[in-house]
Amino acid sequence: MKCFSEMLRKTIILICTWKAFSYALRLPDDIKKCYFGDDKCIVASTNQYLRRYGKGNANLGLPPLDDFQVDDITLINSPGPLWISYKLKNMRLKGLENATIISISGFDRQPEMNKMIIELRTPSLVSQGTYELRGRGVILYTNSSGSTHSDLQNVHLTLNVKSFIEYRQNRRYLKIYGVTTKIDLDRWILTADNLFKENTDLTLLLNRVINDNWIEFWNEIEETILPVYTKSILNVVNNIIQQIPYDELFLTD
């Protein structure tokens, strides 16, 4: 009886493992496959995926692109006579599911031999979370925290992708290990509440100053915030493409 129970247990584990493995290999049947290097077809197919599965699909094991975690960011940490620290925490990034792919290149039979470039637009990239503001100086002292909302509007991203092929179970999987990102946008709107706990007017004034002069402020923080956003997007994309063998994403000759 004990032997039978152990055999049954191992059989169940084997079946569950096989199901999980085979299930993870499947590309959704309603997504059109393309030939290697057919950039026009790959653009259309990727946009089809975004429209149908941008919010994810738990049954297929596809993660959502409409809401995911972003690492904490220290935007400002300036020591000296006037010390200011501004940190963003518990951030969620939204809006990638509404992106439209403009161009794709480099997804050939041997992708690691080519430069992979993805160009896309999205109406809005929104991040929401909390902030911590600390300030100390001769005439300034603040210690506040609250909620923050950042909206990058009409965003144009160009992603230069670094990747390699790794083998698992004699199958090829694409692994993205780095992305260089260029961003253009029409507008940035930032709101942060409770910046000055006892002075709502001063909080509103600072928000207005930032938004009236958003280009100058964005230029100051772009090099800090963009790599963090890119890393978060990269993690989500890798979670998808690492489930499906690279060759099964394409039509055979």
Side-chain angles (χ1 to χ4, degrees):
M1 186 69 177
K2 183 178 180 181
C3 182
F4 175 77
S5 298
E6 180 65 16
M7 184 182 298
L8 180 61
R9 185 183 70 84
K10 290 182 178 180
T11 301
I12 291 173
I13 292 174
L14 179 63
I15 290 173
C16 290
T17 302
W18 176 83
K19 283 185 68 178
F21 180 72
S22 61
Y23 193 68
L25 296 179
R26 290 188 56 210
L27 185 72
D29 295 332
D30 57 348
I31 299 300
K32 180 182 178 181
K33 288 187 177 182
C34 306
Y35 288 104
F36 290 109
D38 187 347
D39 297 343
K40 184 177 180 180
C41 176
I42 295 172
V43 166
S45 179
T46 306
N47 282 324
Q48 184 183 43
Y49 179 91
L50 288 171
R51 299 291 83 79
R52 296 183 182 181
Y53 297 103
K55 295 183 180 297
N57 186 304
N59 293 329
L60 296 178
L62 300 175
L65 298 174
D66 62 330
D67 183 5
F68 50 89
Q69 184 72 37
V70 177
D71 290 343
D72 293 349
I73 308 171
T74 298
L75 284 183
I76 303 172
N77 188 13
S78 57
L82 177 59
W83 174 77
I84 297 176
S85 172
Y86 187 75
K87 298 179 180 180
L88 301 178
K89 296 186 172 184
N90 307 310
M91 302 298 292
R92 309 291 302 185
L93 187 63
K94 304 178 181 182
L96 194 62
E97 80 281 5
N98 296 319
T100 298
I101 304 298
I102 301 171
S103 67
I104 287 180
S105 62
F107 286 82
D108 301 326
R109 190 179 300 276
Q110 303 296 335
E112 70 274 21
M113 304 296 292
N114 304 292
K115 182 181 292 186
M116 303 174 71
I117 301 175
I118 304 171
E119 188 178 358
L120 62 89
R121 287 187 181 276
T122 185
S124 177
L125 275 180
V126 172
S127 61
Q128 294 176 290
T130 60
Y131 75 87
E132 290 183 355
L133 175 64
R134 306 286 183 267
R136 184 175 63 248
V138 176
I139 60 173
L140 169 70
Y141 177 82
T142 183
N143 184 348
S144 59
S145 60
S147 62
T148 182
H149 181 282
S150 170
D151 185 1
L152 306 179
Q153 298 184 344
N154 195 18
V155 178
H156 181 188
L157 290 172
T158 302
L159 311 174
N160 288 275
V161 179
K162 299 177 181 179
S163 67
F164 63 89
I165 290 291
E166 63 180 14
Y167 287 84
R168 302 199 306 268
Q169 304 291 329
N170 294 321
R171 297 185 179 189
R172 302 196 308 159
Y173 291 81
L174 185 67
K175 175 72 172 181
I176 297 175
Y177 66 90
V179 178
T180 302
T181 307
K182 179 179 180 298
I183 186 171
D184 293 300
L185 60 150
D186 285 352
R187 186 78 168 89
W188 176 45
I189 300 174
L190 176 70
T191 56
D193 65 11
N194 204 35
L195 288 168
F196 298 93
K197 296 178 181 179
E198 299 178 358
N199 195 327
T200 301
D201 290 339
L202 193 55
T203 293
L204 294 174
L205 175 62
L206 184 55
N207 275 278
R208 186 166 70 248
V209 169
I210 292 173
N211 288 304
D212 287 348
N213 301 275
W214 72 270
I215 295 178
E216 290 81 2
F217 280 97
W218 174 252
N219 288 339
E220 288 292 325
I221 69 168
E222 178 182 348
E223 292 186 358
T224 301
I225 203 168
L226 192 56
V228 179
Y229 280 9
T230 301
K231 178 185 175 183
S232 299
I233 295 172
L234 173 60
N235 289 339
V236 174
V237 172
N238 264 330
N239 284 339
I240 297 172
I241 63 175
Q242 283 283 286
Q243 295 186 47
I244 306 171
Y246 184 67
D247 295 313
E248 293 188 14
L249 295 171
F250 299 90
L251 295 170
T252 57
D253 295 333

